Amino acid sequence: MRQALLIDWVLITALGWLLIGVIGVSFPRNFRLISRVLFPLGALCALLLALLALFGVGASPQVRILPLGLPDLPFHLRLDALSAFFLFLLGATAAGISIYAAGYFRKGEGTAPGLQCLLYHIFLTSMAFVMLADDGYSFMVAWESMALSSFLLVTSEHRHAEIRRAGYLYLLVAHIGAVGILLSFGVMAGSAGDYTFDAMRNFSVAGFWPTIAFLLALFGFGAKAGLLPLHIWLPEAHPAAPSPVSAMMSGVMLKTAIYGLLRVSFDLLHAQLWWWGILLLLLGLVTALFGVIFSTVQSDMKRLLAYSSIENIGLIFVGFGLTLIFKSFLLPSLAALALTATLYHCLNHAFFKSLLFLCTGSVLHATRERNLGKLGGLIHRMPWVTWLALIGVLASAGLPPFNGFVSEWLLLQSFLFTSGLPQGYLNMLLPVVAGAVALIAALAGFAMVKFFGIVFLGQPREEKLAQARDAGRLERLGLLWLAVGCVLLGLLPNVVIALLDPVTRLLVGSGLRYTATSHGWWLLAPISEDRASYSPAIFLVSIALFMPLVYWVVRRFYHGRLQRVPAWDCGFPLQTSRMQDTAEGFGQPIRRIFSPFFKRTREHPSPFDTHPRYRSLVEDPFWYWLYLPIARIVEQGTRLIAFLQQGRIAIYLLYSFVTLLTLLVLTRG
Amino acid sequence: MSAVNASLIHAIPLSSQVINLCAAIMLLLGFAMLAQRRVLTLINLFMLQGLVLFISTLIVALTTSQSHLLWSAGLTLLLKVIALPLILHRLIRRLSVKWDIETLLNIPTIMLIGIALVVIAFNVAQPISQLSGTITRATIGIALACVLLAFLMMITRSKAVPQVIAFLAMENGLFFAATSATYGMPMVVELGIALDVMVGMVILGVFFFQIRQQFDSLDIRHMERNKEQ
């Protein structure tokens, strides 16, 4: 009886969000109520959900049927280890974001706060239901309400044409993706016509149909996750949305796509083919490389983070592909390792990316500026945000002892074991992929240095930055929560691996709990101690020891000998903030090295111009390779169809008349 | 059609014969409407068609003692014989198109097409008639023909009022088909349709005035230029 209660509590929490939203919309202009009561309440709900989900990971699957929706089509809901893990991700991240949002939404900005509150909480509830859904119908309902509510949140400042355009693009891609998912469910339900996941599990489709179902699901979920070449909406929609929303979308919503694809490929489909894994691996690799290279050359801080999200999703897909390969070659313990790395990275990315997006939100509020070229030196004005952002940046760059390192290390570890695969070509390919992953990690570090250095270090590039104020108390609390999460996830990897154990057991039939944590809580050794091990505690202690030492040595032996003399000035008689490295300048080497990736237009000023202006625009080549040709074909096709539209009612009537007659005659024949 | 009647005349009782007669009149009225140029006469023909529909439904209701068909018959009488013709009469008086004559191109050709449609309708309706177990099954073909003829009328007219009458006549044919194939649709559906017709009528009435205000005429050929370029 106690077990049956857990899913009910999860449901109550999720519906509690909905209730908060409804209360919010009933008092749309009561700003105090919404920001001081409702959003913190939502954060409390999120915390509760995370706790419940923590219990749910270890519990056996629980089922509930909600009599919602159409008369003969109730919502089937199910809480198993996989959905519980992702609910934990949702709850833990949303707790920080909600409390931050309580301080973030200001009066008189965009949509009425009550409406924002409603949409935000619908967004949360629908994500929870996506993870709980146990039939195609409720999954699609939740999926679409997630897409719609996030679309409305993205366009909350709909007075700007570019934001409307970004929102439209997002909605378009989301809907095309939803069609893929729907078709995939249709294939898996087969001729039985029963869309519950239970029926799909028991019904094995024959022949090439599983592959079709998988590819359709990959297309649909890939569109949501931002997999190449369907990533196009991500760098548009993330900067357009208010920061808590972009944090939510990047941190959690992208993960719902990972959840969906995991659910389809490991739970609903019976057997996995090894080339699915190769496909995912390569797609993920290309996505990650593309994302990271583009993130290094951005000059809008939120776009930079959006491309960095694409990179992380790519890495997650690499791990996913590796899991599929190991699973199809019947190597469960290695599959468990790769899956652990994948899920771990999902969790990590949720924490550090939402932390970084929230930091950009604070910067945006303080300075009204998103352009990296007009920021700088905020470390003096906004110390809280700066130091917390530093944690996020280090985690995102994959440096120990923070969380990003652990998952990337696990991922690389799982690559090291690929030599045991019974496929010659794979053995040759995979080390190359591993090398590329290492390159991506390094470039991600570069992008993060750019982000942090340009925004927070140096001197302010604009005068108005002197008025920048640090984040408010609630905002700080939200940031702190996520930053502490980043640190803890990095320091206690064995706890997280133990948490992930039931999930990997459910999906690939093996877990890392006993092998990895057999050496106590402080030493992580994924397969055996002889091959590789990592102890975050030792790292932390040595960093804590060496940092003051280095600081002391530098001050003692270097600065001590430095003498300040006015003599020669080194050719810099005066230094202004304009002389600092700019965002464009910092990214220039990468832009040079990877120039074939970019579509770039430059405008150089003439030497005699008294007001010289330099403009450089780096664009996504996929617009020109893929999207614009498709748009042109569609336009031409519709022009052909427009020939049918003659404007005469009689002709329109004739169309239906002829159709009717033809159908009648056909049924007769 | 007379061939159908002749072959069945020994087996079927008087009520069925009356229904068949009604069906024949329906078809005849359908042709008459197809060829009619005057708006006023068109409305009167439409009223007659409604009356015939009412009689046939009433007979079906009485002979098969289906109580809901009585309701349908009453509804038909109220709506199609009394209310709609009244509204239409008022409408054409207020729009002063009472004596309008529509320039119909080539009536003989249209009539020929109509005959072809009747043949097709009978051909198509044959398997349905065999499946159906009602006493009125012989008339399914005629009902279908009425629908198609009304549709043809809608296509060939270019003025707004006759088009609406054609639309209403089509609904008559559908109703007749439903009665003859399955003793009518469920009551809820019929009420819904009746409401639809009423609402449609009101909306179209509003539209007439708008169209005339815009173009000084009720000729919908003027609306051709409303298409997207």
Side-chain angles (χ1 to χ4, degrees):
Chain A
M1 193 59 211
R2 195 193 155 276
Q3 288 207 335
L5 278 174
L6 199 56
I7 188 173
D8 295 335
W9 281 108
V10 170
L11 274 177
I12 288 169
T13 328
L15 294 174
W17 272 334
L18 208 58
L19 184 69
I20 289 170
V22 171
I23 296 173
V25 84
S26 336
F27 304 96
R29 300 275 161 201
N30 192 338
F31 185 73
R32 182 167 282 275
L33 170 79
I34 287 163
S35 72
R36 295 288 170 264
V37 180
L38 292 181
F39 270 106
L41 261 181
L44 213 62
C45 276
L47 211 56
L48 192 63
L49 183 72
L51 272 179
L52 289 170
L54 217 49
F55 287 114
V57 171
S60 53
Q62 299 167 9
V63 185
R64 266 279 171 277
I65 297 177
L66 277 193
L68 277 175
L70 300 176
D72 287 334
L73 218 53
F75 274 22
H76 294 78
L77 303 173
R78 188 162 180 271
L79 182 73
D80 60 7
L82 180 66
S83 44
F85 168 71
F86 277 91
L87 281 172
F88 170 71
L89 187 153
L90 168 69
T93 320
I97 297 176
S98 286
I99 200 81
Y100 177 91
Y104 181 84
F105 286 117
R106 305 270 161 96
K107 261 181 197 167
E109 280 184 7
T111 320
L115 203 56
Q116 292 275 40
C117 176
L118 175 72
L119 291 171
Y120 178 80
H121 286 105
I122 287 181
F123 186 34
L124 292 182
T125 312
S126 52
M127 278 195 285
F129 271 92
V130 163
M131 288 154 193
L132 284 171
D134 196 34
D135 62 308
Y137 160 64
S138 55
F139 187 92
M140 287 316 288
V141 169
W143 187 261
E144 285 294 277
S145 44
M146 179 177 87
L148 274 180
S149 53
S150 56
F151 161 73
L152 292 171
L153 283 167
V154 165
T155 54
S156 59
E157 285 174 44
H158 50 80
R159 283 183 188 83
H160 302 279
E162 59 193 294
I163 286 180
R164 286 199 302 272
R165 187 176 156 273
Y168 175 73
L169 184 68
Y170 167 51
L171 197 65
L172 192 68
V173 177
H175 273 285
I176 292 171
V179 171
I181 298 169
L182 192 63
L183 289 178
S184 166
F185 284 150
V187 170
M188 282 187 291
S191 51
D194 191 351
Y195 280 83
T196 56
F197 286 174
D198 249 348
M200 291 183 202
R201 271 184 209 109
N202 296 328
F203 177 77
S204 64
V205 276
F208 54 90
W209 286 107
T211 302
I212 291 182
F214 174 76
L215 290 179
L216 281 169
L218 177 63
F219 174 80
F221 290 116
K224 190 57 125 194
L227 206 60
L228 223 67
L230 296 164
H231 65 285
I232 207 87
W233 61 273
L234 230 144
E236 305 295 326
H238 280 60
S243 290
V245 177
S246 9
M248 208 67 208
M249 284 171 70
S250 179
V252 186
M253 195 186 74
L254 301 184
K255 307 305 179 308
T256 59
I258 308 288
Y259 163 78
L261 198 57
L262 280 172
R263 175 71 72 198
V264 168
S265 28
F266 289 109
D267 191 15
L268 302 185
L269 292 173
H270 292 268
Q272 293 83 27
L273 302 180
W274 62 271
W275 66 266
W276 296 358
I278 298 288
L279 180 70
L280 270 190
L281 192 72
L282 293 180
L283 268 179
L285 191 70
V286 175
T287 306
L289 199 61
F290 181 87
V292 77
I293 288 173
F294 265 78
S295 78
T296 55
V297 298
Q298 294 307 312
S299 47
D300 176 320
M301 58 178 177
K302 286 181 103 177
R303 275 179 98 89
L304 188 151
L305 292 181
Y307 275 111
S308 159
S309 292
I310 294 179
E311 171 234 324
N312 280 292
I313 286 293
L315 284 183
I316 289 169
F317 269 100
V318 168
F320 196 152
L322 213 53
T323 315
L324 273 174
I325 293 173
F326 286 136
K327 176 90 196 292
S328 61
F329 285 119
L330 302 176
L331 298 164
S333 59
L334 292 181
L337 176 60
L339 187 62
T340 305
T342 310
L343 295 173
Y344 205 150
H345 199 67
C346 285
L347 193 58
N348 290 341
H349 180 244
F351 269 90
F352 65 67
K353 193 46 63 65
S354 26
L355 173 61
L356 289 178
F357 264 116
L358 295 184
C359 286
T360 64
S362 292
V363 170
L364 194 62
H365 255 177
T367 64
R368 314 239 143 245
E369 198 56 69
R370 273 194 348 224
N371 192 340
L372 288 173
K374 296 183 174 172
L375 290 166
L378 291 176
I379 189 167
H380 303 296
R381 305 278 156 212
M382 313 176 71
W384 273 90
V385 174
T386 305
W387 288 105
L388 294 174
L390 181 63
I391 292 177
V393 161
L394 290 176
S396 179
L399 292 181
F402 296 103
N403 58 357
F405 173 77
V406 185
S407 47
E408 284 181 18
W409 185 74
L410 281 175
L411 186 61
L412 285 172
Q413 283 298 320
S414 45
F415 269 109
L416 293 182
F417 293 101
T418 50
S419 51
L421 287 176
Q423 270 266 347
Y425 287 114
L426 272 183
N427 285 339
M428 281 187 264
L429 173 74
L430 288 175
V432 180
V433 179
V437 169
L439 170 73
I440 290 161
L443 285 173
F446 184 88
M448 285 302 131
V449 169
K450 172 176 175 174
F451 171 73
F452 188 76
I454 302 279
V455 175
F456 296 106
L457 303 184
Q459 293 176 12
R461 288 183 175 77
E462 299 274 311
E463 278 178 18
K464 64 177 179 180
L465 297 186
Q467 273 99 51
R469 301 239 316 268
D470 209 351
R473 207 170 299 146
L474 284 173
E475 294 181 38
R476 275 184 217 168
L477 190 61
L479 293 176
L480 201 62
W481 167 263
L482 292 170
V484 167
C486 284
V487 174
L488 284 183
L489 285 175
L491 286 184
L492 305 169
N494 284 354
V495 175
V496 182
I497 285 173
L499 173 75
L500 287 173
D501 185 79
V503 187
T504 54
R505 265 178 213 290
L506 175 77
L507 296 189
V508 296
S510 175
L512 289 185
R513 183 178 217 151
Y514 300 107
T515 52
T517 60
S518 53
H519 309 281
W521 67 271
W522 54 275
L523 190 68
L524 168 63
I527 296 297
S528 76
E529 200 182 353
D530 313 331
R531 294 204 59 154
S533 59
Y534 164 64
S535 169
I538 292 175
F539 253 99
L540 184 68
V541 169
S542 44
I543 287 174
L545 281 179
F546 275 99
M547 281 280 277
L549 193 69
V550 170
Y551 183 76
W552 181 77
V553 168
V554 167
R555 281 211 74 100
R556 177 75 185 75
F557 293 102
Y558 184 70
H559 282 210
R561 297 179 177 188
L562 186 77
Q563 290 182 339
R564 290 186 180 276
V565 285
W568 182 52
D569 282 343
C570 289
F572 287 104
L574 97 172
Q575 279 188 321
T576 70
S577 61
R578 288 268 154 234
M579 289 176 179
Q580 302 175 85
D581 205 356
T582 57
E584 287 76 20
F586 195 81
Q588 198 269 348
I590 300 283
R591 210 164 51 211
R592 229 11 204 283
I593 297 166
F594 296 98
S595 55
F597 278 80
F598 304 116
K599 168 116 178 58
R600 186 154 177 242
T601 43
R602 275 198 290 189
E603 285 173 21
H604 288 292
S606 90
F608 307 105
D609 204 338
T610 45
H611 297 285
R613 286 187 71 82
Y614 170 79
R615 213 169 68 92
S616 159
L617 188 67
V618 175
E619 280 175 299
D620 199 331
F622 276 92
W623 276 112
Y624 298 92
W625 296 345
L626 185 66
Y627 285 87
L628 292 182
I630 288 179
R632 225 170 291 135
I633 290 170
V634 168
E635 206 174 339
Q636 277 165 5
T638 44
R639 200 163 295 142
L640 280 182
I641 292 170
F643 171 75
L644 290 175
Q645 195 194 17
Q646 295 287 342
R648 285 188 64 178
I649 292 177
I651 295 202
Y652 297 148
L653 287 171
L654 197 64
Y655 292 152
S656 30
F657 189 58
V658 170
T659 314
L660 180 68
L661 273 186
T662 318
L663 286 179
L664 279 175
V665 171
L666 277 182
T667 47
R668 175 75 175 97
Chain B
M1 185 179 21
S2 60
V4 176
N5 281 350
S7 65
L8 294 171
I9 204 152
H10 308 293
I12 48 183
L14 181 69
S15 59
S16 282
Q17 289 184 38
V18 176
I19 292 167
N20 284 345
L21 178 67
C22 284
I25 297 171
M26 285 271 299
L27 192 62
L28 200 64
L29 284 169
F31 270 105
M33 284 161 85
L34 194 62
Q36 184 50 251
R37 296 177 183 212
R38 280 173 200 280
V39 179
L40 188 68
T41 326
L42 209 52
I43 295 172
N44 290 339
L45 285 173
F46 169 71
M47 190 179 74
L48 269 180
Q49 204 182 30
L51 193 66
V52 173
L53 189 61
F54 160 68
I55 292 169
S56 76
T57 316
L58 193 68
I59 291 169
V60 174
L62 290 178
T63 47
T64 62
S65 57
Q66 301 262 336
S67 61
H68 78 271
L69 271 182
L70 273 178
W71 283 100
S72 312
L75 217 61
T76 310
L77 181 69
L78 217 68
L79 218 76
K80 288 173 189 151
V81 186
I82 300 166
L84 284 178
L86 262 180
I87 295 173
L88 282 169
H89 273 297
R90 269 189 54 203
L91 206 63
I92 59 168
R93 209 179 315 126
R94 286 185 51 195
L95 288 164
S96 49
V97 289
K98 196 172 179 179
W99 303 108
D100 262 23
I101 296 173
E102 200 173 9
T103 47
L104 262 179
L105 287 172
N106 217 344
I107 294 177
T109 317
I110 293 171
M111 297 293 268
L112 277 176
I113 296 172
I115 290 169
L117 285 181
V118 174
V119 173
I120 291 173
F122 268 87
N123 192 13
V124 165
Q126 216 170 22
I128 311 174
S129 316
Q130 279 161 2
L131 280 178
S132 178
T134 57
I135 59 163
T136 49
R137 62 178 174 219
T139 58
I140 294 176
I142 298 181
L144 198 57
C146 284
V147 174
L148 292 180
L149 284 177
F151 211 144
L152 182 64
M153 179 175 158
M154 207 145 84
I155 293 174
T156 52
R157 302 295 167 136
S158 65
K159 293 245 163 76
V161 180
Q163 269 199 336
V164 169
I165 294 171
F167 172 70
L168 295 171
M170 200 160 86
E171 209 274 327
N172 272 353
L174 270 181
F175 186 84
F176 193 53
T179 331
S180 40
T182 62
Y183 291 138
M185 293 169 263
M187 203 58 210
V188 187
V189 180
E190 257 168 47
L191 281 175
I193 291 177
L195 194 72
D196 271 357
V197 169
M198 279 312 280
V199 170
M201 197 58 226
V202 171
I203 293 173
L204 287 168
V206 173
F207 262 114
F208 288 156
F209 286 101
Q210 293 293 333
I211 292 171
R212 201 181 52 161
Q213 223 170 25
Q214 207 69 40
F215 302 111
D216 279 330
S217 148
L218 275 178
D219 197 328
I220 48 173
R221 274 178 298 197
H222 289 292
M223 289 169 76
E224 273 174 43
R225 56 188 146 125
N226 279 355
K227 76 165 180 171
E228 193 187 347
Q229 288 310 311

